[in-house]
Amino acid sequence: MKNKTVVIKSNSSGLTLVLDKEADFKDLVEDICKKFADARDFFKDASLILTVEGRTLSPEETAVVIEAIELNSDIKIRLICTEDVLADARMVRLTDRFYFEEAFTNAKIIPGSVKRKDVVKSDSSIVILGDVLRGGDVSAVGNVLVMGEVLGSVSAGTDGDERCYIAANYFDTNEISIAKISGNMRKKRGLFSGVGRNITEPQAVFVWDGSLLMEPMSNGIVKQLLNK
């Protein structure tokens, strides 16, 4: 029965992992490791979205599942979807809570980069699996998550919601706005300990005291804002 605790299915955007609800989590992880190791040549170096069904995972368990897949294959998990909640797989590892609840439900997903002269709009949130290149324009009523670099123009909360935010692996642009608040992104010392642009982990831009601030996603201030 152990080898039936995990079922791998393909879908239009990546893979679906169906997990046995009753199985011991340790057995699930062992089965995941074996299945992906055996199928390493089949999946090759795919970069994909992983959907998890059949079982509710804690944030810690979610991070373990991602690690088990990536250590036993050449797959790169870009996004993970559990219970209709979409999140950046890297951010799951970096944070101590799965705080993207409903943040990207019904999000518009862009499979590549937004190039020069491209205009992308959404009445919900937007997830971009590539970069926003210079000359590209992205705007969303909700949040914006960019898996790569933001070099162009990005706007979130276009209906005026200052709770929205923009997250990316790297920012090099002044064309950022949230709820019509724009200008240079400040890095306030003291209140935000250790804040600064660090290309080794995702950053978030959000509204604080009427202006835009940026900090690493793992610092915790963003989580406090989102949980208000």
Side-chain angles (χ1 to χ4, degrees):
M1 293 297 293
K2 182 179 177 181
N3 63 353
K4 295 183 180 180
T5 61
V6 177
V7 177
I8 304 172
K9 299 179 180 180
S10 62
N11 60 50
S12 59
S13 58
L15 294 178
T16 296
L17 206 60
V18 183
L19 304 179
D20 189 309
K21 185 177 181 180
E22 305 298 331
D24 184 82
F25 183 69
K26 180 181 178 182
D27 291 338
L28 284 177
V29 173
E30 290 178 355
D31 198 7
I32 290 169
C33 290
K34 184 178 187 307
K35 284 182 179 293
F36 279 92
D38 290 345
R40 181 185 290 268
D41 291 339
F42 176 78
F43 292 119
K44 297 183 179 179
D45 58 348
S47 180
L48 49 81
I49 298 173
L50 178 70
T51 300
V52 177
E53 296 180 353
R55 183 181 180 119
T56 300
L57 299 178
S58 69
E60 293 78 13
E61 289 172 337
T62 301
V64 170
V65 167
I66 294 171
E67 202 73 17
I69 293 172
E70 293 189 343
L71 287 175
N72 289 277
S73 70
D74 298 315
I75 292 172
K76 179 65 177 176
I77 305 298
R78 303 294 299 272
L79 298 170
I80 185 163
C81 182
T82 59
E83 299 183 298
D84 295 325
V85 177
L86 191 66
D88 182 340
R90 296 167 304 169
M91 296 177 188
V92 173
R93 295 190 184 95
L94 287 168
T95 58
D96 57 8
R97 289 192 59 190
F98 210 40
Y99 61 90
F100 282 97
E101 296 174 1
E102 300 183 359
F104 295 104
T105 301
N106 300 319
K108 181 175 185 177
I109 298 177
I110 307 301
S113 294
V114 177
K115 300 177 181 178
R116 184 174 179 269
K117 295 186 178 180
D118 286 349
V119 177
V120 177
K121 297 182 179 180
S122 174
D123 57 5
S124 58
S125 295
I126 297 178
V127 177
I128 298 169
L129 301 185
D131 304 314
V132 179
L133 300 177
R134 299 196 191 282
D137 190 322
V138 176
S139 62
V141 170
N143 305 295
V144 179
L145 172 62
V146 181
M147 303 298 295
E149 301 181 349
V150 173
L151 308 177
S153 174
V154 178
S155 300
T158 54
D159 274 3
D161 189 351
E162 294 185 6
R163 296 172 300 175
C164 292
Y165 58 92
I166 301 167
N169 197 45
Y170 179 74
F171 287 89
D172 185 14
T173 179
N174 289 323
E175 298 180 81
I176 296 293
S177 66
I178 298 175
K180 299 183 180 179
I181 297 174
S182 59
N184 292 333
M185 295 173 284
R186 297 190 298 115
K187 306 176 188 67
K188 192 170 183 179
R189 299 182 179 276
L191 178 61
F192 300 92
S193 177
V195 170
R197 186 165 65 185
N198 183 348
I199 63 173
T200 63
E201 65 172 288
Q203 309 286 311
V205 178
F206 53 94
V207 176
W208 184 270
D209 195 24
S211 62
L212 299 179
L213 285 176
M214 181 175 69
E215 71 160 11
M217 293 296 295
S218 58
N219 275 12
I221 299 299
V222 178
K223 290 183 289 183
Q224 295 178 28
L225 293 174
L226 295 178
N227 289 330
K228 283 186 175 181

